[in-house]
Amino acid sequence: MHPWRLRLERWFTPMARRCPFSPNAISIVALLLNVAAAALFFTHHFLLGILFITIGGLADAFDGIVARVQEKTSRYGDFLDHFCDRVSDILLITGWLLGNGVRIEIVVAVLIGVMLNGYIGTQIEATWHVRNYDSVGRGEFVLALVVYPIVSHILFSLGLQTETFAQLRIAEWMSVLLAIFAVLGIVQRFGLASKLQREGRESA
């Protein structure tokens, strides 16, 4: 997902220079759009939810570009952005999981995995002041929350949402896959933390 971050920054920079809204205001707007998307996923309006999450994702990228271009970066703005990201993650994933009737134990496992993944990424940045986009992280989960609702829409349209394979419905298998990728990202980020620690020792 990192190449797309660079492309978005290049495309949005001219607009960011003229933007009349503060980065923090844009962060709040992005959060509200994601709240709406989560509610739409929960009520089975999957395609409309995709529209909201896409716009919310673009707004989430845009706030940082505005902050850098207009030289309005701040510690509070970075804190607010991380907070809004974590709230959005919880609500979007929960909305999709519950909207698809995923059993509660799988819901809990997915939420724990995704939130630990996000927490470890944030903690690496706080500890070593490094942002790394090479591991499985938030960008990949947001992409999944664009693809997964499309699958849900197809399943509900065809009446296949209750079909099971090996005692799990299709949405539940998709949820298990999401949890596996979250764990993979956690392992990758622990590896990154170990690497950063070794490099720190070498330079000490």
Side-chain angles (χ1 to χ4, degrees), residues 28 31 56 73 77 80 91 104 110 136 179 185 198 200:
I28 296 298
L31 173 61
T73 57
L80 179 65
L91 294 179
I104 191 63
V110 172
V136 176
R198 290 195 304 272

Side-chain angles (χ1 to χ4, degrees), residues 38 42 88-100 107 111:
F42 180 71
S88 294
D89 292 346
I90 293 174
L91 294 179
L92 288 169
I93 293 171
T94 303
W96 183 84
L97 292 167
L98 297 182
N100 282 271
V107 171
L111 289 177

